[in-house]
Amino acid sequence: MRKILMLAAVFILSANNDTPDYKETPTSTEAVPPTNDPWANCEFEIKTASFGTKIPFTTVPVAHTKEQINQGVANLNGTPIMLFLWDQPRRYAFTMRSVLRPMSVAFINDKGEITQIENMKPNTTELHVSDKPVRVALEVGKGLLSSHNITTGSRITIKQCSSTLPFPEKFFQEKK
């Protein structure tokens, strides 16, 4: 089983040597993608499960290609936040090897619901694996989700993207 998980798409997020050692993660919901890269950006909102509050997220880069997924948030300027989008649902894994800041990852099902949140310590090789197959994950600086009361059961709705991406259909429909 462990071998399957390792082969299943372990995404190693590494930090640049010039990345500062963050003691506190900013709580902004906007990120700036690396320059000179063909990154797609999306605007979306997350409706919290507990109160139904809608939290807007703007200019969030989407990692969809293998290179972008492997690069992860390592070269982002500003707030560390990124959506990961895969073509097929699987049990994907994240690790924090060489990442200097604490992060959280929210695994999201095809209905747009957050099904699992993992808090990740910096510079560790521990695998943070989705419990169920997913096609989307949201990685953010640790504390951003909890500071906005975003928990499992909260739902993401895509408002618009800078290019066409294969998000599940229900990501574009607001749940009533």
Side-chain angles (χ1 to χ4, degrees):
M1 180 70 166
R2 181 174 221 119
K3 188 174 182 180
I4 292 171
L5 289 175
M6 292 296 289
L7 295 174
V10 176
F11 301 98
I12 299 170
L13 306 175
S14 61
N16 285 343
N17 291 337
D18 59 349
T19 303
D21 186 5
Y22 288 92
K23 291 185 175 37
E24 187 176 310
T25 301
T27 58
S28 170
T29 58
E30 184 171 346
V32 180
T35 56
N36 301 324
D37 272 333
W39 290 82
N41 293 294
C42 288
E43 177 182 321
F44 61 92
E45 67 184 19
I46 295 179
K47 186 175 182 181
T48 63
S50 54
F51 300 111
T53 307
K54 294 179 181 179
I55 311 299
F57 287 78
T58 58
T59 321
V60 176
V62 179
H64 180 62
T65 67
K66 182 178 179 179
E67 294 78 22
Q68 292 169 339
I69 288 170
N70 288 334
Q71 180 182 338
V73 298
N75 293 317
L76 290 181
N77 302 314
T79 305
I81 180 172
M82 180 176 289
L83 271 172
F84 291 81
L85 174 63
W86 297 276
D87 291 325
Q88 298 297 319
R90 290 191 192 145
R91 293 182 62 213
Y92 292 101
F94 284 73
T95 185
M96 295 289 289
R97 186 173 59 192
S98 301
V99 176
L100 300 177
R101 57 185 117 196
M103 303 291 288
S104 295
V105 61
F107 295 104
I108 304 167
N109 68 19
D110 277 0
K111 296 177 184 175
E113 298 166 343
I114 295 175
T115 59
Q116 176 186 348
I117 296 174
E118 293 282 324
N119 291 315
M120 305 180 291
K121 294 179 182 174
N123 205 26
T124 63
T125 57
E126 178 184 355
L127 291 178
H128 301 274
V129 185
S130 61
D131 291 337
K132 297 179 180 175
V134 297
R135 287 182 45 208
V136 180
L138 174 64
E139 188 176 30
V140 298
K142 186 177 177 189
L144 184 115
L145 298 175
S146 60
S147 71
H148 292 292
N149 202 31
I150 297 170
T151 59
T152 56
S154 296
R155 188 175 187 288
I156 183 172
T157 303
I158 303 291
K159 296 299 181 183
Q160 71 179 66
C161 291
S162 62
S163 66
T164 303
L165 293 167
F167 280 104
E169 182 73 27
K170 292 191 177 188
F171 271 61
F172 297 96
Q173 301 165 358
E174 188 168 335
K175 189 176 181 179
K176 306 280 188 230

